[in-house]
Amino acid sequence: QCEAWADYSAFLLDAEDDAEAAEEAIKKALSNNVSSPVLYWILARAMEASGSEHTAIAEVAHKCLQAHMNETSAWIFAGQIFELIDQDDQAEAVYRDALASEQDEKEQAWLFLGRLLSQHTGRAEEAEQALRSAVEISGRSHCGPFKDLAELLVHRGNDTQAYSLVKEALEINKRCFCSLLLKSQIDIRNQNIDSAVELLRRAIEINPHSIHAITELASIVQSDEAVQLI
């Protein structure tokens, strides 16, 4: 039942662009004792889209934690809600609380903490440590931690290790669009053009409308093909 309400409200918000209807649907579900962390996340997004006060949206994060304190996803969604309203200090505190809790699943908390810290000047070292923890815990279950750590290392000037990590990300998920782009960018810097072309073609197959991938490919192929791409 929770999943059905989440799907319905997400459809209203994302497909129909009707934030008010999505908010009303979730509040109806909650009033009928249908509750899950993802419902609070969609509610916060709907409220933000409809222009609600940040204090009201922050209250949604607190209610999410109160209602689902023993669920790992509640901590993650609460942190995301705080990020949504630019309360990064609160988001960081929630992610760190999740890591300090008795929850067994720490990977997501490390991952979201690392992503958050990587956005802030002077905290790259902390971000790297957090993302390395996420990679270590993940056990290659999904590509996200590998791709995010690789992206951070590129920004820190460590293309060699980033390349190994993004290669692993693509071994886990060969259709990871962001990893294909990142690996192609490293290849281009290393003058490995054939590999970059192959990676960008794969990226465009996944997302034919990606201006970034099309422009990047057009810049490294023969002029006649570049004209066709653009």
Side-chain angles (χ1 to χ4, degrees):
Q1 196 173 13
C2 288
E3 185 176 346
W5 278 105
D7 289 344
Y8 175 58
S9 55
F11 172 78
L12 291 172
L13 180 60
D14 298 322
E16 296 293 316
D17 196 25
D18 193 340
E20 291 184 4
E23 183 177 345
E24 183 179 338
I26 295 173
K27 287 181 175 178
K28 182 177 180 180
L30 294 173
S31 69
N32 289 320
N33 296 318
V34 177
S35 180
S36 73
V38 70
L39 286 178
Y40 287 95
W41 166 235
I42 299 171
L43 175 59
R45 289 177 54 223
M47 292 172 65
E48 196 273 338
S50 62
S52 295
E53 294 288 334
H54 284 186
T55 52
I57 299 173
E59 186 60 28
V60 173
H62 292 300
K63 288 181 177 178
C64 177
L65 285 173
Q66 290 168 3
H68 300 278
M69 182 64 70
N70 295 323
E71 296 179 46
T72 302
S73 62
W75 297 84
I76 304 305
F77 283 124
Q80 286 183 268
I81 292 170
F82 284 123
E83 287 194 63
L84 182 70
I85 55 176
D86 297 321
Q87 294 186 11
D88 286 0
D89 288 347
Q90 286 284 350
E92 180 180 348
V94 169
Y95 296 142
R96 292 193 183 281
D97 284 346
L99 291 168
S101 73
E102 296 180 359
Q103 301 292 327
D104 292 329
E105 300 175 14
K106 308 285 190 183
E107 178 196 339
Q108 288 289 90
W110 280 121
L111 179 60
F112 278 88
L113 177 62
R115 287 176 178 173
L116 175 64
L117 294 175
S118 69
Q119 298 170 22
H120 292 271
T121 303
R123 307 199 70 180
E125 186 67 36
E126 293 176 84
E128 182 176 333
Q129 291 174 2
L131 291 173
R132 287 191 184 281
S133 295
V135 165
E136 183 179 345
I137 295 172
S138 74
R140 293 173 61 91
S141 59
H142 60 91
C143 61
F146 292 86
K147 183 269 296 179
D148 286 339
L149 178 56
E151 194 170 44
L152 177 63
L153 290 175
V154 164
H155 290 304
R156 303 198 75 191
N158 189 345
D159 273 9
T160 301
Q161 193 169 7
Y163 196 82
S164 297
L165 285 160
V166 78
K167 184 179 178 181
E168 283 194 71
L170 287 169
E171 288 172 359
I172 297 167
N173 177 11
K174 65 182 180 181
R175 290 182 59 81
C176 177
F177 179 78
C178 293
S179 294
L180 289 167
L181 286 184
L182 183 59
K183 191 167 185 282
S184 72
Q185 290 163 5
I186 300 173
D187 276 332
I188 291 171
R189 284 197 292 277
N190 292 330
Q191 296 300 306
N192 192 355
I193 302 304
D194 289 343
S195 175
V197 168
E198 186 265 335
L199 291 164
L200 288 167
R201 290 194 198 285
R202 285 167 57 188
I204 291 170
E205 285 180 7
I206 295 168
N207 183 1
H209 304 294
S210 170
I211 301 299
H212 186 171
I214 293 170
T215 304
E216 199 83 354
L217 180 59
S219 71
I220 59 174
V221 296
Q222 297 296 325
S223 57
D224 56 341
E225 183 180 355
V227 170
Q228 293 177 2
L229 284 166
I230 297 173

